Each structure stands twice: as C-alpha cells, then as structure tokens.
Amino acid sequence: MIRLLIRYLLLLCFIVSAFGNASAQAHKIDSLRIVLKTLPADTNRVNVLIELCKAQSFLDSKEIISTANEALALAKKINFKTGQAKACFQLGYYFHKVGDDLKAIESLHEASNIFEKVNNLTQAAYAYNAIGVIYNEQDDEEEALLFFQRANSLWSKVDFREG
C-alpha cells in the first residue's frame, strides 16, 4: 500500500503542467498554434513549442512527438541548450506514456545532461526523478533509488524543498 502511494506521489513530480479539462486544453492548443504562425525561428518559438507539448499531453495527443522533435531540431539549429533539454524532457514524457521506456530513459538522460551543463539543477533533478519513476515502475528499486538520490542531491544543492 505504501509503495503504491509512493508511486503515485512520484508520478506527480513527473507531471509539471497544471491540470485542466479537455476543452480548456484544446483552446490552449489552438491559441499556441496561432502564436506559432507569427514567430520566427528563435528561442521564443522553441518555448512555445514546448508549451504546446505540455498542452497536448493532456489530450493524449500523438502530436507531442512531432512538436517536441520540431522544438529539438530548432533548438539545436540556434544552439539554444535549455530548449534542447526541455524538448528532450518532453520526448521522454511522450515515450514513457506510449510504453517505450528505453527511449524515455535515453531522452531524459539527454535532458538531465544538458540541464546540468547549463546549470539548471532543478530541471536536471526533475529529469533524474522521472528516470527514477520509470525504474520504480519496472520494479528495479536499486536503479530507481539511484536516480531518486541524484534528484534529491541536486534539489538539496539549490534548496528546492518541494523536490
């Protein structure tokens, strides 16, 4: 029972976006798509694409992967490291959601590495925590604990008590 409760609590850390109903999310998606039509290929476009991924995740949309890949490609092209890491995180979320945990872990590792390079330790910790969640769901408690400890260590460094 406690283990199940811990799983649900850890899963909450994996979901960064706020809850909303499908209608509100559909409206948000439409609004973000309109904004995208006006944006040049810059960091703002990458950030809006990332927000679109988050909104799409509430509707069980398969469009997440194409949106995240577009964000990743553009972020690489303009050398926007934080955007690359956020896109990788969204890809990790998508792959986990569709049951491809190997690709999810790879994407989340890439995200955590980039976040650490740009010194965004809070987000790197979220990526490590998400990896821990995946291992925990696979009943690989040893690996899960390793990644939960990495996340906790980073959150402690930045005094992020919620983490």
Side-chain angles (χ1 to χ4, degrees), residues 14 57 60-66 68 88-100 104:
F14 190 70
S57 70
D60 195 30
S61 174
K62 294 185 183 348
E63 295 176 27
I64 297 169
I65 191 162
S66 62
C88 288
F89 190 92
Q90 291 303 313
L91 286 168
Y93 173 81
Y94 170 79
F95 288 127
H96 177 64
K97 189 173 185 176
V98 298
D100 192 341

Side-chain angles (χ1 to χ4, degrees), residues 79-112:
N79 198 32
F80 179 35
K81 297 292 185 191
T82 299
Q84 289 177 43
K86 289 179 178 181
C88 288
F89 190 92
Q90 291 303 313
L91 286 168
Y93 173 81
Y94 170 79
F95 288 127
H96 177 64
K97 189 173 185 176
V98 298
D100 192 341
D101 287 343
L102 182 59
K103 281 187 180 179
I105 289 170
E106 288 173 9
S107 295
L108 292 165
H109 268 296
E110 188 173 349
S112 65

Side-chain angles (χ1 to χ4, degrees), residues 36 45-46 48-54 56 61-76 83-95 107:
L36 279 172
R45 183 174 184 84
V46 173
V48 170
L49 287 165
I50 297 302
E51 288 305 310
L52 182 55
C53 286
K54 292 176 184 178
Q56 290 169 333
S61 174
K62 294 185 183 348
E63 295 176 27
I64 297 169
I65 191 162
S66 62
T67 305
N69 279 326
E70 182 182 347
L72 181 59
L74 178 56
K76 284 181 177 180
Q84 289 177 43
K86 289 179 178 181
C88 288
F89 190 92
Q90 291 303 313
L91 286 168
Y93 173 81
Y94 170 79
F95 288 127
S107 295

Side-chain angles (χ1 to χ4, degrees), residues 1-11 136-137:
M1 179 69 173
I2 292 177
R3 187 168 179 211
L4 184 62
L5 179 61
I6 290 172
R7 276 189 181 182
Y8 287 124
L9 290 174
L10 294 173
L11 186 58
N136 192 50
E137 289 175 356

Side-chain angles (χ1 to χ4, degrees):
M1 179 69 173
I2 292 177
R3 187 168 179 211
L4 184 62
L5 179 61
I6 290 172
R7 276 189 181 182
Y8 287 124
L9 290 174
L10 294 173
L11 186 58
L12 288 176
C13 291
F14 190 70
I15 300 172
V16 182
S17 301
F19 290 104
N21 63 37
S23 175
Q25 291 306 315
H27 177 71
K28 184 175 182 177
I29 289 169
D30 291 341
S31 297
L32 290 168
R33 285 185 178 144
I34 290 169
V35 170
L36 279 172
K37 291 179 183 179
T38 67
L39 293 176
D42 63 5
T43 58
N44 289 324
R45 183 174 184 84
V46 173
N47 287 328
V48 170
L49 287 165
I50 297 302
E51 288 305 310
L52 182 55
C53 286
K54 292 176 184 178
Q56 290 169 333
S57 70
F58 288 100
L59 299 180
D60 195 30
S61 174
K62 294 185 183 348
E63 295 176 27
I64 297 169
I65 191 162
S66 62
T67 305
N69 279 326
E70 182 182 347
L72 181 59
L74 178 56
K76 284 181 177 180
K77 181 179 178 182
I78 63 175
N79 198 32
F80 179 35
K81 297 292 185 191
T82 299
Q84 289 177 43
K86 289 179 178 181
C88 288
F89 190 92
Q90 291 303 313
L91 286 168
Y93 173 81
Y94 170 79
F95 288 127
H96 177 64
K97 189 173 185 176
V98 298
D100 192 341
D101 287 343
L102 182 59
K103 281 187 180 179
I105 289 170
E106 288 173 9
S107 295
L108 292 165
H109 268 296
E110 188 173 349
S112 65
N113 288 337
I114 297 169
F115 279 132
E116 285 196 69
K117 285 178 185 171
V118 298
N119 204 33
N120 189 334
L121 300 183
T122 301
Q123 292 303 313
Y126 273 117
Y128 285 135
N129 190 72
I131 294 170
V133 168
I134 293 170
Y135 280 123
N136 192 50
E137 289 175 356
Q138 295 174 347
D139 292 324
D140 188 341
E141 294 171 0
E142 194 170 312
E143 282 297 306
L145 184 59
L146 174 72
F147 285 96
F148 292 147
Q149 287 171 336
R150 284 184 188 176
N152 188 52
S153 173
L154 292 180
W155 280 324
S156 293
K157 282 183 182 180
V158 295
D159 198 33
F160 183 68
R161 294 171 194 234
E162 292 85 353

